[in-house]
């Protein structure tokens, strides 16, 4: 502790501290002012979104594989560390040569402003919070640097500051007190900004007040035996709070129902604009559908099963009447994300829809409220656009979506997959009868068989739970007579077309992972 105190008393350390405090003021003041603008005008949100846009696919894949649904938390942590380091450098530069420090701060402010104004749905005026925050941070940096110059003058200190230093009575305690006041003000501004944003936003209350209509076509009754009897299995129907979330939105879009509109255009006979009331008045369908993320590794948990309510996309397309030659629908979110969905998939008999409900309630904000796409049989990156506001009927040859521009496949049909849910890999279980259970899926084809292999033994068939529909996953179970020692359990599935899940391992890029999962279990 004493060494830390001595280090903090060094001029460079104090200059770095001044830079960090000033950066905190930039972000907090911008957040306070940003409460009166769109959430995407917040510097951290804009910077993070821009970083995601320019991040190479391999790094995104690594983040999702390593952090899963906590990828955004990891991103913010990394951004915080990076901003902290840059702030330290700018603080030292400002101490040694103020003009360069100012230029550095202004350059960082320009980067933030550029990140804000290039976001989808953002107006130039939305850069105001970043501009005000940058100016406030620069003022605080000047305030703290002057005090540091008075303590430890630098040869290039401005003449007026040198004169003030000779007449004043500076102290380290005074510098740290000033830094503390600025840090406290930054914390208060950030807290006030969050509270003000929450008070001004009534989206969550509007969602709670929304009453969904009854569907014209209700979902078929779910068989009683869809849940695997193996203890510890996840529920067949995934609760909304537990449903995986993988998207590019760092800030969940806040959309008023009265403002939401969906434009259907492009290669159509008639351009159509739908309001949320149009969806409420439509013949809605209800369907259980399992969604899967293309980034899901073999045995991963980036899949979930829910009951969705929405307007069939084939009905939406009938209103616009796609022209001959069109083969793709490019769906776009209010935050700029886009997905390319094969047009025939949206016109066949599957329950592809503009969903407004999830598990009996309006869509949760983070899962696309008020409207998202749900398309059985396709990975989410080409079908499950959240906060959707635009459908362009076009051709694969003419347009590319967000992920296809980054090297992923255009169409993304879901591969047949099985996983072991219990016991988990590296688990320790007692010898004797051990319940093994898991989940398999092959949306639009269904699952007809699941087999297990213990170590190098032959394949044995597991007991399948009841099937609700070919669009949902299917759970399975097996009673294993386990002998002491380390054992490996492999699993594979057969889909409704008779195709056995491939053993060949493949990474998620470009069209989804494949291979058999193998878990190691120690029997005691």
């Amino acid at each position: 502790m004493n060494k830390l105190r001595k280090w903090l008393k060094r001029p460079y350390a104090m200059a770095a501290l001044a830079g960090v405090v000033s950066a905190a003021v930039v972000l907090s003041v911008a957040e306070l002012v940003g409460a009166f603008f769109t959430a995407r005008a917040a510097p951290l949100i804009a910077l993070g979104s821009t970083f995601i846009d320019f991040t190479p696919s391999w790094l995104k894949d690594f983040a999702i594989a390593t952090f899963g649904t906590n990828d955004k938390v990891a991103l913010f942590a990394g951004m915080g560390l990076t901003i902290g380091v840059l702030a330290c450098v700018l603080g030292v530069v400002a101490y040694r040569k103020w003009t360069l420090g100012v230029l550095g701060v202004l350059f960082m402010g320009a980067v933030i402003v550029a990140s804000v104004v290039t976001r989808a749905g953002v107006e130039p005026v939305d850069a105001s919070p970043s501009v005000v925050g940058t100016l406030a941070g620069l003022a605080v940096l000047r305030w703290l640097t002057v005090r540091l110059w008075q303590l430890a003058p630098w040869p290039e200190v401005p003449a007026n500051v040198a004169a003030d230093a000779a007449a004043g009575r500076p102290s380290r305690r005074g510098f740290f007190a000033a830094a503390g006041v600025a840090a406290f003000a930054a914390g208060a501004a950030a807290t006030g900004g969050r509270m003000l944003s929450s008070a001004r936003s009534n989206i969550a209350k509007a969602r709670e007040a929304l009453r969904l209509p009854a569907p014209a076509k209700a979902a078929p009754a779910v068989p009683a035996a869809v849940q695997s009897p193996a203890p510890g299995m996840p529920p067949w129907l995934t609760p909304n709070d537990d449903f995986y979330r993988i998207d590019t939105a760092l800030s969940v879009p806040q959309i008023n129902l009265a403002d939401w509109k969906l434009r259907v255009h492009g290669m159509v006979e008639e351009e159509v604009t739908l309001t949320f009331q149009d969806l409420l008045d439509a013949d809605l369908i209800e369907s259980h559908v399992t969604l899967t993320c293309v980034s899901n590794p073999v045995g991963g948990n980036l899949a979930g099963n829910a009951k969705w309510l929405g307007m069939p996309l084939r009905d939406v397309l009938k209103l616009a009447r796609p022209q001959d030659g069109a083969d793709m629908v490019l769906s776009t979110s209010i935050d700029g994300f886009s997905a390319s969905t094969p047009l025939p998939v949206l016109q066949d008999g599957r329950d592809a829809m503009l969903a407004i409900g999830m598990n009996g309630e309006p869509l949760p904000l983070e899962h696309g409220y008020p409207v998202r796409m749900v398309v059985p049989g396709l990975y989410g990156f080409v079908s499950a656009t959240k906060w959707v506001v635009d459908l362009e009927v076009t051709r694969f040859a003419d347009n590319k979506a967000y992920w296809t521009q980054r090297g992923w496949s255009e169409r993304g049909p879901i591969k047949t997959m099985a996983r072991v849910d219990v016991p988990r890999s590296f688990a320790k279980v007692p010898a004797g009868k051990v319940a093994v259970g898991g989940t398999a899926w092959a949306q639009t084809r269904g699952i007809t068989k699941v087999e297990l292999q213990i170590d190098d033994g032959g394949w044995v068939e597991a007991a399948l739970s009841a099937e609700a529909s070919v669009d949902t996953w299917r759970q399975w179970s097996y009673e294993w007579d386990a002998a002491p020692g380390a054992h490996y359990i492999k699993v594979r599935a057969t889909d409704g077309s008779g195709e056995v899940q491939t053993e060949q391992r493949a990474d998620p890029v470009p069209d989804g992972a494949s291979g058999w999962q193998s878990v190691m279990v120690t029997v005691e």
Side-chain angles (χ1 to χ4, degrees), residues 256-299:
N256 285 309
L257 294 181
D259 296 335
W260 181 85
K261 288 182 174 59
L262 178 75
R263 181 188 177 207
V264 187
H265 61 106
M267 296 177 64
V268 296
E269 296 297 331
E270 181 179 354
E271 184 171 317
V272 174
T273 299
L274 297 177
T275 66
F276 192 78
Q277 187 61 48
D278 291 330
L279 299 189
L280 294 179
D281 294 339
D283 290 334
L284 305 181
I285 61 173
E286 191 178 56
S287 180
H288 289 94
V289 177
T290 296
L291 300 185
T292 310
C293 180
V294 72
S295 297
N296 195 44
V298 173

Side-chain angles (χ1 to χ4, degrees), residues 60-248:
K60 293 180 182 178
D61 302 336
F62 170 79
I64 294 175
T66 304
F67 302 107
T69 54
N70 294 316
D71 58 333
K72 294 177 178 62
V73 176
L75 173 62
F76 278 122
M79 286 176 55
L81 179 61
T82 302
I83 291 172
V85 171
L86 290 176
C88 288
V89 172
L90 284 176
V92 173
V93 170
Y95 167 63
R96 293 191 58 176
K97 193 170 183 62
W98 174 249
T99 302
L100 287 180
V102 172
L103 291 176
V105 172
L106 293 178
F107 175 76
M108 293 304 299
V111 170
I112 295 173
V113 168
S115 298
V116 170
V117 298
T118 54
R119 305 315 305 164
V122 172
E123 303 292 337
V125 70
D126 291 322
S128 301
S130 298
V131 172
V132 174
T134 299
L135 295 177
L138 191 59
V140 169
L141 181 62
R142 173 72 177 188
W143 183 51
L144 294 176
T145 303
V146 166
R147 278 154 179 75
L148 184 55
W149 282 332
Q150 293 172 341
L151 279 171
W154 187 258
E156 298 183 16
V157 171
N160 62 320
V161 175
D164 291 343
R169 295 180 179 273
S171 68
R172 287 185 174 85
R173 180 174 295 179
F175 172 83
F176 286 114
V181 169
F184 177 81
T191 302
R194 285 191 290 269
M195 294 177 63
L196 188 57
S197 295
S198 178
R200 286 174 56 83
S201 175
N202 59 359
I203 304 302
K205 293 181 180 179
R207 176 189 173 274
E208 292 175 1
L210 178 62
R211 295 294 176 264
L212 298 176
K217 175 190 172 186
V222 176
V226 294
Q227 182 69 36
S228 169
M233 281 289 295
W236 179 82
L237 189 70
T238 308
N240 290 353
D241 290 342
D242 297 335
F243 207 94
Y244 77 93
R245 180 194 167 195
I246 297 291
D247 53 55
T248 61

Side-chain angles (χ1 to χ4, degrees), residues 24 77 142 149 160 226 247 308-309 316 327 342 347 377 386 451 516 522:
R142 173 72 177 188
W149 282 332
N160 62 320
V226 294
D247 53 55
W308 307 92
L309 172 71
V316 175
D327 61 3
Q347 296 176 309
K386 302 174 184 176
E451 299 170 287
W516 297 339
T522 300

Side-chain angles (χ1 to χ4, degrees), residues 346-384:
L346 303 180
Q347 296 176 309
D348 63 17
R350 74 187 72 191
D351 288 336
M353 68 177 82
L354 290 173
I356 62 174
M358 180 179 183
N359 288 334
E361 62 182 65
L363 288 173
L365 300 184
E366 64 272 18
H367 288 294
Y369 176 88
V371 184
R372 66 169 294 166
M373 287 177 59
V374 170
V375 182
L378 299 182
Y379 288 117
F381 82 108
V382 295
S383 67

Side-chain angles (χ1 to χ4, degrees), residues 25-40:
V25 170
V26 171
L27 298 176
S28 59
V29 169
E31 182 162 357
L32 177 62
V33 178
F36 299 93
F37 297 82
T38 175
R40 293 185 294 282

